[in-house]
Amino acid sequence: MKFFVDTADVAAIRELNDLGMVDGVTTNPSLILKSGRDIIEVTREICAMVSGPVSAEVVATDARTMISEGLALAKIAPNIAIKVPLTWDGLTACKAFASEGRMVNVTLCFSAAQAILAAKAGASFVSPFVGRLDDNNHDGIQLIEDIRTIYDNYGFKTEILAASIRSVNHITDCARIGADVITAPPAVIKAMANHVLTDKGLEQFLKDWGKTGQKIN
């Protein structure tokens, strides 16, 4: 499973990238706002650091303007994945980009039916929002499982990019089901290393080592 980092914080991306934990990056207008930086400038810096896909999102709602904005974003770097919403206009833009061989991430997916449309339109990635579904009393992980089954039934090449990841359990559940990619905030990815028994075990080892009076070097 690929790990994408859901942030526009360059320092946080660099830390994980140096450890080999970054296969790509996703951004959106909210994350650009949080970064406080110009979208073109920060996206170009991220693309230079990360070799995998970097999703940059259009903000228009009509297909014609989406296509114009997407082409402008694609000029930033060769590894840009143009991000469009899962609306009819977004699907129209997706088809146009895919026909030119461009990477497209169709975002804001909340149903299996929507995911089928994204695949039919040639999306490189579809982004089901796990956490937001959970917030609204729906089962986000079940949606990932449903999409996996449907895509496997028909051989769709679109990759399932599980988004709105809120917890380590979300990541492990998506891995178990077979999501191709997860995108998560840096803090959630780093939390995967945490376990109370690891902490207790390390504490005991260090205590016992101290009693030996030895040094390794």
Side-chain angles (χ1 to χ4, degrees), residues 6-23:
D6 196 34
T7 186
D9 182 335
V10 173
I13 295 168
R14 183 177 292 110
E15 178 186 8
L16 289 170
N17 192 55
D18 287 347
L19 287 173
M21 299 295 176
V22 178
D23 299 297

Side-chain angles (χ1 to χ4, degrees), residues 116-185:
I116 295 170
L117 292 175
K120 296 284 282 184
S124 309
F125 306 98
V126 65
S127 292
F129 275 39
V130 175
R132 291 197 195 183
L133 279 168
D134 288 353
D135 292 345
N136 286 274
N137 298 315
H138 295 281
D139 191 339
I141 294 298
Q142 183 62 55
L143 175 59
I144 301 297
E145 187 169 357
D146 291 345
I147 298 172
R148 178 77 280 156
T149 298
I150 292 167
Y151 279 13
D152 289 348
N153 281 348
Y154 298 101
F156 288 130
K157 302 302 182 185
T158 300
E159 294 188 61
I160 302 170
L161 198 171
S164 188
I165 296 293
R166 305 279 177 78
S167 68
V168 172
N169 284 345
H170 275 162
I171 295 175
T172 53
D173 284 344
C174 286
R176 175 176 51 81
I177 291 165
D180 300 289
V181 191
I182 60 93
T183 186

Side-chain angles (χ1 to χ4, degrees), residues 34-198:
K34 188 176 180 179
S35 77
R37 297 184 59 186
D38 174 77
I39 183 173
I40 303 298
E41 177 188 86
V42 71
T43 305
R44 182 178 291 118
E45 187 173 349
I46 293 169
C47 287
M49 183 192 317
V50 176
S51 59
V54 176
S55 290
E57 189 164 345
V58 303
V59 294
T61 56
D62 66 284
R64 179 177 293 183
T65 313
M66 283 184 194
I67 292 170
S68 176
E69 290 180 353
L71 292 175
L73 292 170
K75 291 178 182 178
I76 296 173
N79 54 331
I80 286 288
I82 304 166
K83 200 172 181 184
V84 299
L86 215 161
T87 62
W88 204 252
D89 283 275
L91 292 169
T92 301
C94 173
K95 181 63 174 178
F97 294 136
S99 296
E100 296 178 352
R102 301 184 187 276
M103 283 191 293
V104 189
N105 178 357
V106 178
T107 190
L108 293 170
C109 174
F110 293 98
S111 75
Q114 289 180 316
I116 295 170
L117 292 175
K120 296 284 282 184
S124 309
F125 306 98
V126 65
S127 292
F129 275 39
V130 175
R132 291 197 195 183
L133 279 168
D134 288 353
D135 292 345
N136 286 274
N137 298 315
H138 295 281
D139 191 339
I141 294 298
Q142 183 62 55
L143 175 59
I144 301 297
E145 187 169 357
D146 291 345
I147 298 172
R148 178 77 280 156
T149 298
I150 292 167
Y151 279 13
D152 289 348
N153 281 348
Y154 298 101
F156 288 130
K157 302 302 182 185
T158 300
E159 294 188 61
I160 302 170
L161 198 171
S164 188
I165 296 293
R166 305 279 177 78
S167 68
V168 172
N169 284 345
H170 275 162
I171 295 175
T172 53
D173 284 344
C174 286
R176 175 176 51 81
I177 291 165
D180 300 289
V181 191
I182 60 93
T183 186
V188 176
I189 292 175
K190 291 173 74 173
M192 294 175 71
N194 299 339
H195 199 288
V196 64
L197 295 180
T198 301

Side-chain angles (χ1 to χ4, degrees), residues 199-210:
D199 296 339
K200 287 183 177 180
L202 181 59
E203 181 183 3
Q204 186 63 52
F205 289 161
L206 293 176
K207 185 183 296 184
D208 290 343
W209 178 251

